[in-house]
């Protein structure tokens, strides 16, 4: 199949600790080394214990935007204590469409994560019980992901399952060890093969989402080899997805790519021929997929941060440029003719809170357009795929104010 057609075909309470679960380092702590210290921290998949404690205090005090974000989460269908999961043995998702099981799996994972957050932020045990019930239902049944969108489906749902499982396992002693082990087995057998498959010539949001799931699963499983592979894929794909002029006249290509001519690279970038700082591989496709890539990139870097690896520092300028470039156009700036023929599809979701928190509030970098975009979306909810409640968990902290003890 020609490269262009192949690309477009691709999708488009007290904190309890169980034995063996290390407490989370403060969210503002400086990570050590390039590959981690060897000790996994829990909870530590996108969210950490220190950050959630700060969120809980802010919600209790009625501070905004956290109170409104919390209220929106609690009022959502995902927070229902009568939520009914719909597990199946084979989640078969063909390109462009899929049976109800594809949607159900993603939604059930978000429901489990929603209840995990409610448990941690309210101390109400019934939410931990509900999260466990949903996760146990799936681990008792699911065997595989299949069909053309298997990798992306497993990525979206797997990243959320890993967040939910890690948070519950680290803070709720009522999830029985045999059930925990069964859930781990499900992630290892029904998710890792799909999310670690090679996809060098697919649109880059695929591999970034897959790596998001991979690193989260690696942390929950405490699998150092899988964790290292996720770091490698991040380091390969992010520079091949978001462009900087220091890359040269053309964007980088990921290892294993067949894009071996300038024309193939331009086709892969949806016909774009002028490359500027912050441009993304799918900018000229639509900003929805750029949003997926930004969110996944931030999730990976945030999880690595909690585990002692500073991926943000490696790509801070690239990520800052990408955030500002796309926030500007999502907010309504008119694109010049050289950019996507003067047409931008403004469809970005609630995708910037995690990256903005680190770059803007931990590193103090100026991101005025991204700040405006985040403020316009608050309280950000969920995209019903793999982004959920990130205004609540990551807006403005914990950062400068919390580190100093100021209000």
């Amino acid at each position: 199949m020609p490269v262009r057609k192949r690309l477009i075909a691709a999708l488009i309470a007290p904190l309890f600790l169980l034995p063996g679960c290390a407490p989370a380092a403060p969210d503002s702590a400086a990570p050590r080394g390039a590959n981690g210290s060897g000790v996994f921290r829990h909870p530590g998949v996108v969210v950490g214990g220190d950050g959630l404690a700060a969120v809980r205090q802010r919600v209790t005090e009625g501070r905004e935007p956290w109170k409104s974000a919390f209220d929106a989460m609690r009022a959502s269908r995902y927070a229902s204590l009568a939520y009914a999961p719909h597990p199946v043995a084979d989640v078969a998702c063909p390109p462009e469409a899929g049976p109800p099981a594809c949607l159900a799996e993603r939604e059930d994972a978000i429901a489990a994560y929603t209840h995990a957050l409610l448990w941690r932020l309210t101390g109400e045990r019934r939410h931990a019980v509900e999260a466990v019930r949903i996760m146990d239902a799936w681990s008792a049944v699911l065997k595989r992901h299949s069909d053309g969108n298997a990798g992306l489906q497993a990525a979206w749902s797997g990243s959320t399952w890993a967040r939910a499982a890690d948070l519950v396992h680290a803070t709720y002693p009522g999830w029985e060890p045999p059930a925990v082990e069964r859930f781990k087995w499900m992630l290892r057998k029904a998710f890792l093969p799909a999310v670690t498959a090679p996809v060098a010539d697919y649109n880059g949001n695929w591999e970034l989402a897959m790596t998001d799931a991979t690193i989260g699963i690696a942390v929950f499983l405490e699998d150092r080899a899988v964790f290292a592979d996720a770091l490698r894929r991040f380091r390969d794909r992010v520079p091949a997805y978001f462009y900087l002029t220091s890359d040269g006249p053309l964007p980088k290509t990921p290892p294993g790519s067949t894009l071996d001519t300038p024309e193939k690279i331009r086709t892969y970038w949806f016909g774009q021929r002028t490359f500027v700082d912050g441009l993304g591989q799918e900018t000229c496709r639509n900003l929805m997929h750029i949003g997926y890539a930004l969110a996944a990139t931030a999730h990976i870097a945030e999880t690595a941060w909690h585990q002692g690896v500073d991926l943000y520092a490696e790509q801070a300028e690239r990520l800052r440029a990408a955030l500002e470039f796309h926030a500007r156009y999502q907010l309504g700036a008119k694109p010049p003719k050289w950019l996507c023929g003067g047409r931008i599809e403004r469809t970005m979701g609630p995708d910037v809170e995690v990256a903005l928190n680190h770059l803007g509030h931990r590193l103090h970098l100026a991101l005025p357009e991204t700040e405006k975009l985040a403020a316009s979306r608050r309280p950000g909810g969920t995209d019903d795929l793999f982004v959920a409640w990130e205004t609540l968990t990551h807006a403005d902290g914990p950062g400068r104010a919390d580190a100093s003890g100021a209000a």
Side-chain angles (χ1 to χ4, degrees), residues 11 152 156 203-212 234 237-238 240-242 278-283 285-301 319 322-323 326 347-352 354-355 383 385-387 390:
L11 183 65
L152 193 58
W156 285 339
N203 288 311
N205 78 87
W206 272 65
E207 189 163 24
L208 290 167
M210 290 162 73
T211 305
D212 178 9
F234 176 96
R237 180 58 87 162
V238 172
Y241 190 88
F242 298 114
L279 187 76
Q281 182 253 314
E282 295 178 277
T283 302
R285 183 186 186 186
N286 55 56
L287 297 194
M288 178 176 66
H289 288 87
I290 288 289
Y292 296 164
L294 285 169
T297 297
H299 290 173
I300 300 160
L319 187 52
L323 286 164
H326 294 99
T347 47
M348 191 181 296
D351 302 316
V352 302
V354 177
D383 63 0
L385 296 173
F386 74 119
V387 174
E390 292 177 3

Side-chain angles (χ1 to χ4, degrees), residues 353-374:
E353 294 279 22
V354 177
L356 175 62
N357 178 54
H358 187 88
L359 298 180
H361 300 102
R362 289 181 185 144
L363 299 186
H364 317 297
L365 300 180
L367 292 99
E369 299 295 323
T370 312
E371 292 272 11
K372 282 187 231 174
L373 178 60

Side-chain angles (χ1 to χ4, degrees), residues 235-254 265 269 275-281 314-315 317-319 321-322:
R235 289 164 173 150
D236 287 342
R237 180 58 87 162
V238 172
Y241 190 88
F242 298 114
Y243 177 80
L244 286 178
T245 53
S246 57
D247 296 337
L250 290 170
K252 297 174 181 288
T253 57
I265 292 172
W269 285 62
F275 300 96
V276 299
D277 285 348
L279 187 76
Q281 182 253 314
E314 298 177 22
Q315 299 296 340
E317 180 52 30
R318 193 180 299 273
L319 187 52

Side-chain angles (χ1 to χ4, degrees), residues 23 28 37 51 82 125 134 139 145 148 167 180 194 203-204 310-311 328 335 337 344 354 365 373 390 393:
S28 55
S37 64
R125 182 177 176 275
I134 295 168
S139 67
H145 293 83
L167 181 53
V180 173
N203 288 311
D310 196 352
L311 294 178
R328 179 169 176 259
K337 287 292 184 185
I344 293 285
V354 177
L365 300 180
L373 178 60
E390 292 177 3
T393 59

